[in-house]
Amino acid sequence: MTEEEFTEFYRHSVRRLTGQLYVVTGDLHEAQDVVQEAFVRAWGHRRGLDRELAPEAWVRTVAGRLAISRWRRARTAARAWRRHGETPEVDGPDPASVDLARALRQLTERQRLCAALFYVCDLPVDRIAAETGLAPGTVKAHLSRARAALARQLDHPTELREHSDDLH
């Protein structure tokens, strides 16, 4: 089957196969996924599809088997979860963490990267410069700007300045 023939085959059968698998799975997204995966596999076997009497049946069979495999995996996973009991409830993030995450998103990508490497990974400026390909002075500038922006947004300037002495 040539690329053009396969494209035509796909065009004429994808909706029909998706509808058929939707009836089997009861889930449109699952049906779309398994049909697409089956077509991907058919693409790899398209030369052999020439010899098939019904390439659509081949794709339908593969899609059906994929759907059954996914169903079995989901069923096994559900059993495993039930065996381990209920999951413990986890408290959501505290308001300060939410504020910090929001403030970090306001930083530029480089400021956020430099701040994370310095404050979270506890790397010195020279190491940050080596890892990012920035000059040490540029890293210091990004850290300074990040601290200033975070201080303005979080209104806690003293907490952020504690580490500023480490820059020098």
Side-chain angles (χ1 to χ4, degrees), residues 2-3 11-12 36-37 59 64 71 85 87 124 128 132 134 138-139 152 154:
T2 66
E3 288 183 28
R11 231 183 260 133
H12 286 296
Q36 289 303 312
E37 178 64 26
V59 173
W71 176 77
T87 56
I128 296 170
T132 60
L134 300 171
T138 305
V139 171
R152 280 192 307 275
L154 297 175

Side-chain angles (χ1 to χ4, degrees), residues 7-40:
T7 301
E8 195 63 27
F9 163 59
Y10 176 84
R11 231 183 260 133
H12 286 296
S13 57
V14 68
R15 295 183 103 202
R16 183 174 38 254
L17 287 168
T18 301
Q20 293 165 359
L21 268 292
Y22 173 55
V23 172
V24 171
T25 63
D27 182 335
L28 179 60
H29 295 292
E30 183 71 11
Q32 291 169 330
D33 283 350
V34 295
V35 168
Q36 289 303 312
E37 178 64 26
F39 271 108
V40 167

Side-chain angles (χ1 to χ4, degrees), residues 1-165:
M1 185 177 288
T2 66
E3 288 183 28
E4 293 80 22
E5 290 170 331
F6 188 87
T7 301
E8 195 63 27
F9 163 59
Y10 176 84
R11 231 183 260 133
H12 286 296
S13 57
V14 68
R15 295 183 103 202
R16 183 174 38 254
L17 287 168
T18 301
Q20 293 165 359
L21 268 292
Y22 173 55
V23 172
V24 171
T25 63
D27 182 335
L28 179 60
H29 295 292
E30 183 71 11
Q32 291 169 330
D33 283 350
V34 295
V35 168
Q36 289 303 312
E37 178 64 26
F39 271 108
V40 167
R41 292 180 184 195
W43 174 259
H45 293 91
R46 68 183 182 281
R47 291 186 188 9
L49 288 177
D50 280 339
R51 293 181 287 273
E52 288 286 326
L53 295 176
E56 189 171 313
W58 188 92
V59 173
R60 183 176 30 260
T61 301
V62 171
R65 289 177 181 163
L66 287 167
I68 290 168
S69 293
R70 288 181 176 198
W71 176 77
R72 285 180 178 153
R73 275 194 304 273
R75 185 182 62 181
T76 302
R79 284 182 187 157
W81 278 108
R82 282 193 299 275
R83 262 194 319 266
H84 292 288
E86 292 293 318
T87 56
E89 285 197 32
V90 178
D91 294 334
D94 61 281
S97 296
V98 173
D99 290 344
L100 178 60
R102 185 177 299 123
L104 285 168
R105 282 193 301 268
Q106 301 302 314
L107 299 177
T108 67
E109 186 177 323
R110 284 189 178 176
Q111 289 173 355
R112 193 169 46 248
L113 175 63
C114 289
L117 292 173
F118 187 78
Y119 292 107
V120 178
C121 299
D122 208 25
L123 297 180
V125 171
D126 292 337
R127 179 81 184 271
I128 296 170
E131 287 191 18
T132 60
L134 300 171
T138 305
V139 171
K140 289 179 183 180
H142 285 307
L143 286 170
S144 177
R145 290 180 189 130
R147 272 194 308 278
L150 290 172
R152 280 192 307 275
Q153 292 181 34
L154 297 175
D155 198 31
H156 299 294
T158 54
E159 292 177 20
L160 293 172
R161 289 190 187 142
E162 288 177 5
H163 293 296
S164 66
D165 296 332

